[in-house]
Amino acid sequence: DMRLAWIGWVEEATGLFKVDALAGPGGEYAAGLVVSVDPQRAESRGVGGRAVIERRTVVCADILADPGMAPWHERARRHEVRACAAVPLFR
């Protein structure tokens, strides 16, 4: 019962993720979502930022219990998103 799956890319000029495609009933969760790869920003400490920075898959089994996911706690609660994972692809 996945709420959302999305594919994005990192805009080089800003270091922010841009959503390219998404599917699932949790699509509202991704609207306006801010994820960064700039280690100075709190938005880089979640699964997406860490996956790209560390160049590895990152899984979070409980968003609300993970302090690195703090910027998204309220959004996750509101949209009933409990867990997430990021799988970075490089070319």
Side-chain angles (χ1 to χ4, degrees):
D1 186 29
M2 290 179 40
R3 304 265 316 139
L4 169 71
W6 66 277
I7 298 171
W9 53 278
V10 178
E11 185 177 61
E12 285 188 42
T14 65
L16 297 176
F17 280 64
K18 301 296 179 183
V19 176
D20 199 35
L22 62 94
E28 305 83 32
Y29 177 84
L33 188 68
V34 177
V35 179
S36 175
V37 294
D38 178 352
Q40 302 303 312
R41 294 184 60 152
E43 295 90 349
S44 73
R45 298 183 191 117
V47 296
R50 287 179 40 218
V52 172
I53 292 167
E54 299 172 13
R55 301 181 73 84
R56 66 180 184 91
T57 297
V58 176
V59 176
C60 176
D62 186 348
I63 292 173
L64 299 179
D66 185 337
M69 295 294 291
W72 305 279
H73 282 176
E74 181 52 37
R75 178 184 293 267
R77 189 177 292 111
R78 187 171 59 246
H79 295 287
E80 299 181 353
V81 176
R82 304 286 183 240
C84 59
V87 180
L89 303 174
F90 299 94
R91 61 180 174 136

